[in-house]
Amino acid sequence: MCGIVGIVSSQPVNQQVYDALLLLQHRGQDSTGIATAEGNTLHMQKARGQVREAYRTRDMRNLPGNMGLGHVRYATKGNAADEQEAQPFYVNAPYGITLIHNGNLTNTRELTAALFHIDRRHLNTSSDTELLVNVLANELQSQVSGTDLDPDQVFNAISRVHERVEGSYAAIALIAGHGMLAFRDPFGIRPLVLGRRQVGFAGDDWIVASESLVLESAGYEFVRDIAPGEAVFIAPNGEISSRQCAANPRLIPCSFEYVYLARPDSIMNGISVYEARLRLGDRLADTIARYTPMGDIDVVMPIPDSSRPAAMQVAQKLGVEYREGFYKNRYVGRTFIMPGQAERKKSVKQKLNAMGSEFRGKNILIVDDSIVRGTTSKEIVQMAREAGANKVTFTSAAPPVRFPHVYGINMPSRQELVAHGRKIPDINRELGSDYLIYQEVADMQAAIIEGSDVAALEMSCFTGDYVTGTVSPEYLDWVERTQLS
């Protein structure tokens, strides 16, 4: 999971890209990068850490140009500690291309071999983004002759990229002297939205980003989601072209975007994240009512912040008091996306504090958005007991996470998932709660897609069904051996 943004403007874009990355910071905190295009020249700044600490005034001055893109990284491939793997990635031919990518490629071994033995391209890191930009460059090179480049050549190259690349990818690239390119994998697993801002006689400014809230904040009008398999090319003068480049595109977006990853004030694939989380709470309340004696619940509490909408609906539907018993330190990052289990465990108590007055002598029902490794959940149950809770019922607005996620979320190992190979009573004992209740898979899907044109969701971490159809048991074993989390 990463956050990406690209802008073609009538004005310098460095500050616009910076501001957009601040709004996408929740999608990645390991590193960040910005690239701009000034005529035929590409400029780039990359650094580890968060956006506010990564760029200085001198860095922004070194990013001139009216086209630009930016990235915040949460490492799911490669090495989170390696600054070379911060995005964007750059290749100098054809023309000069710099690219950012949100998602995970699942045929990296095959692509690496083909790029070396057939395309004769050198890779300097283990990042799948470097693979993607080299595949794009190679296919674009095969389409062009001479110095001119037209959108049809770009779209033909993307069609070949779709044929060669497997997995999830929402990507934005700058092609020096020619324009900005955005494209999305044929299943639309990771989000990408398009916006426009009218600037009078100067034409239109355009923006492409992971989430719609970026558009609204910068005064852009939401135009539409970029479709699965589609590519959009925007020239420096704002002229826009698009084409469907995949043979059999199907929209199957990632369910975890709505459960946890995205900000609640975003709309993706026609679905409001906030309203989806409210509906998840409604469905969860029905399940809680079936399995939990109502006398064992005095108050409902969320784990701030992403579970708050679901918890409010649970409390309302059950007719139980809603209270905020956990105080969140907003200067600690999201524990789920921190690299390394030891770092996550250390950060739980730095991030949350239980207020004794809200827990003492009460039967507490805690609502979280999901339970992945169980590290945070176990600590929270212990904190509630230490704060004086009489009984602790722990609930998840998502189903049990039993399988690795290979499409851009850092869940590579089955053994570190608390629900893998365990029944719910066993998980309950592991967490130390009195009761444990999960959302049903069918309820989660129905709650998220209700009222939208989306027919299905990517739910592999809950069901073990991988939508691309190319994820084998051997591949999962290889990911576990080679990918640290």
Side-chain angles (χ1 to χ4, degrees), residues 18-220:
Y18 177 92
D19 292 343
L21 291 182
L22 288 176
L23 295 171
L24 294 171
Q25 188 73 84
H26 60 285
R27 300 186 67 87
Q29 300 163 12
D30 294 340
S31 64
T32 178
I34 297 176
T36 59
E38 182 189 23
N40 291 325
T41 304
L42 296 174
H43 306 276
M44 190 184 307
Q45 294 285 339
K46 302 196 290 186
R48 291 183 61 190
Q50 298 185 25
V51 174
R52 284 197 184 278
E53 63 196 34
Y55 305 103
R56 298 291 179 263
T57 301
R58 62 180 177 272
D59 299 322
M60 302 304 287
R61 287 175 180 156
N62 290 330
L63 292 167
N66 290 10
M67 292 197 305
L69 48 76
H71 185 270
V72 288
R73 181 185 187 224
Y74 147 58
T76 55
K77 281 282 188 184
N79 184 355
D82 188 350
E83 194 165 320
Q84 289 188 77
E85 297 196 359
Q87 299 183 37
F89 275 83
Y90 168 77
V91 291
N92 67 354
Y95 306 112
I97 302 171
T98 185
L99 179 140
I100 52 177
H101 160 223
N102 175 28
N104 262 15
L105 308 188
T106 57
N107 63 334
T108 54
R109 293 174 294 179
E110 296 84 352
L111 286 174
T112 300
L115 282 169
F116 179 76
H117 293 291
I118 300 172
D119 303 328
R120 303 302 185 196
R121 286 182 172 266
H122 170 71
L123 300 173
N124 208 44
T125 71
S126 58
S127 169
D128 59 343
T129 306
E130 189 181 16
L131 276 169
L132 184 59
V133 71
N134 275 277
V135 172
L136 171 62
N138 191 74
E139 297 306 328
L140 197 56
Q141 184 80 61
S142 69
Q143 293 294 324
V144 299
S145 58
T147 58
D148 292 334
L149 178 68
D150 62 56
D152 285 339
Q153 293 169 326
V154 174
F155 297 145
N156 290 339
I158 294 299
S159 294
R160 282 287 297 138
V161 170
H162 288 328
E163 292 171 10
R164 293 185 64 178
V165 171
E166 297 171 3
S168 66
Y169 48 97
I172 308 172
L174 296 179
I175 304 175
H178 291 88
M180 185 177 79
L181 168 67
F183 57 99
R184 197 175 177 196
D185 72 73
F187 295 93
I189 297 173
R190 302 258 69 87
L192 202 59
V193 299
L194 175 69
R196 175 179 57 204
R197 183 173 62 190
Q198 293 183 328
V199 287
F201 296 113
D204 291 335
D205 290 353
W206 294 94
I207 186 170
V208 179
S210 295
E211 298 188 28
S212 66
L213 74 104
V214 175
L215 282 55
E216 296 160 11
S217 175
Y220 285 82

